[in-house]
Amino acid sequence: MKADLRFAEGVDKRCYRLVDLPVEVLSELEASAGEARAWFTGGGSEEMVLTTASATYAMRFAENSNSLFVLDAEFPQEIVGSLGGHIEVSSCAPRVARLHQVLQDRPHYDPDDPTPKNLGATFAQLVDLVQASEAEIQTELDSAQTVVRVGDRYAATSQDAVHETLSLLFDSAVLKGWDPHRLPDSNDEIVAAVPESPAPLVSLAVRHFYHPPAEGFRTLDAQRTARFLAERALRRLDTPATAKRIPLTDFLACWQRLAPVDLDLEEQMADPATLLRGLALVDR
């Protein structure tokens, strides 16, 4: 088998690896006229992965049954190297835990000091640091319950701040004559209705606790909201005195106290075991 390998200027032709790209990645690169890109991320103790704009791929070195010899393009009779294997690429889950660690290690968003220096990280910085595609990173940022966006930066904030904002959002909706379970579709209109809370926190609460706009309204995601409050209740009741065992009646009472006054949790409270799946074990 003979193949023509072309190198960028200045690249050492003896230092390279052959990568067996999945068909979908190769097709995307070939069809994009140079606009699409794929890059390798990882270092230190991390295993290297290949990422594209929309997916993440694990890599594994596979030995060849026969050696591949590399000839000099100008002097074909001269062997300049040999390859004993190649890198296989396969789809894998994005490694987004690193995203939250990066934001936890950097200055957080504080409602009392909303513009500290070096707040959080930009999207471009997260792409460089996190082993996930751009689309996967954006999905994780959008679904995170304690990540706010301030200008072009993303930063972690506290559950206390998010909880307070949720309560203020419900109170303000009632004062405006809105049904807090069904808000207007305009984020700007909602932000303006909650002047007591900074705009990034209100936008986070709307994004996390409400479904995307549909037919002119944003409807409350009752399951997600109830689960957030349930996690808050568990943290509040998890003290040395409880020895990790919390009476269900105490949990339900705390859960209800933490909920905004006009939030209806009746359906979720009827089946706490389902709601707490992954958070706690319910011993009836």
Side-chain angles (χ1 to χ4, degrees), residues 2 70-79:
K2 180 180 179 181
V70 182
L71 307 179
D72 190 297
E74 297 180 4
F75 305 97
Q77 71 276 14
E78 181 179 347
I79 298 176

Side-chain angles (χ1 to χ4, degrees), residues 133-152:
S133 70
E134 293 175 344
E136 291 163 335
I137 290 173
Q138 189 62 65
T139 297
E140 185 68 16
L141 289 170
D142 290 343
S143 63
Q145 67 180 19
T146 55
V147 174
V148 298
R149 181 173 182 176
V150 183
D152 66 342

Side-chain angles (χ1 to χ4, degrees), residues 176 178 184-195 199 202-203 206 218:
K176 289 280 291 185
W178 298 339
D185 65 353
S186 171
N187 183 74
D188 292 340
E189 185 178 0
I190 299 172
V191 168
V194 195
V202 178
S203 294
V206 171
R218 295 175 183 262

Side-chain angles (χ1 to χ4, degrees), residues 205-221:
V206 171
R207 183 185 75 240
H208 188 72
F209 298 114
Y210 286 82
H211 294 292
E215 299 180 356
F217 293 94
R218 295 175 183 262
T219 56
L220 182 74
D221 187 332

Side-chain angles (χ1 to χ4, degrees), residues 158-271:
S158 67
Q159 278 196 339
D160 288 341
V162 176
H163 185 199
E164 181 180 355
T165 300
L166 176 63
S167 297
L168 288 171
L169 177 56
F170 262 70
D171 293 343
S172 299
V174 173
L175 290 174
K176 289 280 291 185
W178 298 339
D179 177 357
H181 296 80
R182 195 166 183 260
L183 298 180
D185 65 353
S186 171
N187 183 74
D188 292 340
E189 185 178 0
I190 299 172
V191 168
V194 195
E196 301 88 349
S197 186
L201 280 173
V202 178
S203 294
L204 166 60
V206 171
R207 183 185 75 240
H208 188 72
F209 298 114
Y210 286 82
H211 294 292
E215 299 180 356
F217 293 94
R218 295 175 183 262
T219 56
L220 182 74
D221 187 332
Q223 188 76 2
R224 175 177 281 188
T225 305
R227 188 173 172 85
F228 170 79
L229 295 170
E231 185 176 355
R232 295 278 293 159
L234 289 173
R235 290 178 181 273
R236 182 162 297 189
L237 294 171
D238 184 15
T239 64
T242 64
K244 302 293 184 181
R245 295 180 65 87
I246 303 169
L248 183 59
T249 53
D250 291 355
F251 164 73
L252 293 175
C254 182
W255 189 16
Q256 187 66 66
R257 286 196 303 271
L258 291 174
V261 175
D262 295 282
L263 177 59
D264 182 9
L265 290 176
E266 183 176 352
E267 181 179 346
Q268 284 71 34
M269 293 183 74
D271 187 14

